[in-house]
Amino acid sequence: MGVLDEAFIQAPEHRPKTHLKHSDDHILSKEIPTIDLSSLQDPNCDKTALATEIAEACMRWGFFQVINHGLSLDLMRRVEKTVAEFFSLTLEEKRRVKRDEVNPMGYHDGEHTKNVRDWKEIFDFFLQDSTTVPATTEPEDTELRKLTNPWPQNPSDFREVCQEYAREVEKLAFKLLELISISLGLPGDRLTGYFKDQTSFLRFNHYPPCPNPELALGVGRHADAGVITVLAQDSVGGLQVSRRSDGQWFSVKPNPDAFIINIGNCMQVWTNDKYWSAEHRVVVNSSKERFSMPFFLFPSHDTNIEPLKELISEDNPPCYKKYNWGKFFAARNRSDYKKLQTESIQIDRFKAA
Ligand code: OGA
Ligand code: NI
């Protein structure tokens, strides 16, 4: 990536604070909630206590961290190793599995968030190989397309390890989805029907050291579009979350054995704004590279997202109009792929008048 190209430079109001003053200490000491999932090891456990903790975190922050989540730490280390090996290949080799205008999966080193380029390179793959998505962003066009994942030749164990990891993270995501449903006073399986043809994918982020970390961001401020995100990260740190009550940015203390869970736009809409899909961003630094691995739990393309009937009432009328997930996904992919002249799509567009 080399010197800082103009495309990476954030507007002054979005630049990170890289030099914290003493009076900013609270930014580092305040923590998103940590939830211990060890009680889930017992299949007959009472889930209500966990659901209560989750409800609190989803309302206040839209972010929490889980520990004792049941994923093998050995598997986490194996996937981290093969991912680091992949990113260490030459650009030429990585570009053999490059994302393009048709297939959003694979390697990409030119992602944009809100039309500013991110200081990162990524590799994405769908959980379901193949995955069905709309062929175009046109609302009236019903043509569908089946996409398969491009897999690199090297590292030789890459595909197998990544797919094994993806299956395990998916299990955790569905356990969390069940707890979230319970936390809303709904049956544990209330939301599972939306994932029959899920468009979920796993992403590997690599943030190289950046010569001007005060001007750029690894990922610009954004809220995740899907239902929930289950993210693993190494020990470097850089993820910051905007607090719901006042928009202040807080750094998340990294724990490579934990997962960060955050609420996405779909869940915010389903819960009619009860649960919060927080903006977050990634600060980079000039000396250390960083890796992270978000799993984006996304519904089937034909899911129409709107506030859940059970959660609205005369006193709590729907805050959003219905929108189609597949079309939203297609439009978002286009705007992330390269810089566009227009604003990228956001859920605000579907706010009820
Ligand atoms: C993302 C994201 C955070 C991180 O990829 O959507 O927010 O810590 N990543 O890498
Ligand atoms: Ni994100």
Side-chain angles (χ1 to χ4, degrees), residues 267-338:
M267 187 63 83
Q268 178 168 336
V269 172
W270 277 340
T271 64
N272 206 31
D273 281 349
K274 181 175 186 190
Y275 288 177
W276 183 240
S277 153
E279 287 207 318
H280 51 285
R281 65 184 184 185
V282 172
V283 176
V284 284
N285 71 80
S286 57
S287 59
K288 284 188 192 141
E289 63 179 345
R290 172 172 182 264
F291 297 92
S292 71
M293 315 192 285
F295 170 69
F296 299 105
L297 183 70
F298 282 6
S300 315
H301 72 87
D302 58 358
T303 308
N304 288 322
I305 307 291
E306 62 184 327
L308 297 172
K309 296 276 180 293
E310 303 93 310
L311 302 182
I312 54 175
S313 63
E314 217 165 294
D315 300 334
N316 181 21
C319 304
Y320 298 91
K321 293 177 278 193
K322 181 157 72 178
Y323 65 94
N324 173 260
W325 168 254
K327 292 291 175 185
F328 187 93
F329 177 77
R332 184 59 85 79
N333 277 329
R334 263 183 84 237
S335 68
D336 293 350
Y337 179 64
K338 62 180 182 192

Side-chain angles (χ1 to χ4, degrees), residues 2 12 40 89 125 140 170 225 244-245 299 335 339:
L40 286 186
L89 298 173
F125 65 98
E140 304 308 323
E170 181 198 14
R244 184 173 194 176
S245 57
S335 68
K339 187 169 170 147

